Amino acid sequence: MTNILRLCAALLLAATAASAQAVNYAGTTFEIEMIVFERIGGMENSSEDWPAAPRLRYPDKWVDFDTATGGAPLLVPAATQLSNKAAALNRSGDMRVLFHKAWRQVLQQKRNSPAIIIDSGENPGSQSRLGGSVTLSVARYLHLSTNLWLSEPSDDNTGIPLPLPPKAATEEPLDLMSTADFRPAMADRAMAPDTTYARHVALLQAERRMRSGELHYIDHPAFGVLIEVRTITSAEETSGT
């Protein structure tokens, strides 16, 4: 009985330490680099049955690469370190990079983490082929949630309507620690007159637990994601390099 009590006490201490570590990670600045690429002809050549009526929706609580508070960007641009991998993807002839950015971000626990709007890979019209969002959060581990879609444009105004990415209509600072939704004026853009349509849409919705410093790959028949989250030293954070 004594040994069991000691074991329980040890497990309780370990759980308490892990919980404290999770709290300590929240509010830490990390450097993130992400590449999204398509497989050329992926939707045409794949045997997948693409969803006929996918639910495409941008989240209510979000930031984009233009969002700022107090005059400073919330997603601070950083130097890319995976350019060789992006170049290799483009050289392959089978794949094409649609999105490649590196940035610094203060990560929070999931309930306080806004989604990051991803909008790139332009169609001939005003709509991007690549849309959606990703959410990065931290607890005992780093966590990534993807809600991305890749569209094949329609030749006419029929098919699957593509929502326009939200745009902030407020100059007020965004409190990322608040649990309240950040809801800029986006409802009137959901079905704007310049909405475009897609013949097919491929969805990449995934949850991934990550470790800092490791390159992670999320696969899909039509497109994929390479992402790396890196810790930065106090000196790097202060200098911004």
Side-chain angles (χ1 to χ4, degrees), residues 98-111:
L98 300 176
F99 175 94
H100 181 198
K101 284 185 183 291
W103 67 94
R104 290 182 179 180
Q105 180 183 357
V106 178
L107 296 187
Q108 307 290 351
Q109 294 185 1
K110 191 167 187 177
R111 66 179 179 275

Side-chain angles (χ1 to χ4, degrees), residues 31 76-77 104 232-241:
E31 188 168 278
V76 180
R104 290 182 179 180
I232 60 177
T233 66
S234 298
E236 287 175 325
E237 188 172 353
T238 302
S239 65
T241 58

Side-chain angles (χ1 to χ4, degrees), residues 55-104:
R55 181 174 172 79
L56 306 179
R57 183 177 181 273
Y58 286 99
D60 293 323
K61 187 173 183 178
W62 57 268
V63 296
D64 62 15
F65 290 94
D66 296 322
T67 304
T69 181
L74 285 168
L75 306 177
V76 180
T80 57
Q81 299 182 27
L82 302 177
S83 296
N84 59 333
K85 290 181 170 47
L89 288 167
N90 283 328
R91 283 197 307 267
S92 70
D94 300 322
M95 289 167 279
R96 178 167 49 229
V97 171
L98 300 176
F99 175 94
H100 181 198
K101 284 185 183 291
W103 67 94
R104 290 182 179 180

Side-chain angles (χ1 to χ4, degrees), residues 101-144:
K101 284 185 183 291
W103 67 94
R104 290 182 179 180
Q105 180 183 357
V106 178
L107 296 187
Q108 307 290 351
Q109 294 185 1
K110 191 167 187 177
R111 66 179 179 275
N112 295 327
S113 298
I116 301 168
I117 301 300
I118 304 298
D119 174 38
S120 188
E122 293 298 327
N123 273 339
S126 61
Q127 191 73 40
S128 297
R129 295 192 62 227
L130 175 67
S133 62
V134 298
T135 304
L136 289 138
S137 59
V138 65
R140 289 184 62 188
Y141 293 91
L142 298 161
H143 292 268
L144 170 70

Side-chain angles (χ1 to χ4, degrees), residues 7-27:
L7 178 59
C8 291
L11 290 173
L12 179 60
L13 287 173
T16 303
S19 176
Q21 185 183 42
V23 172
N24 289 338
Y25 274 131

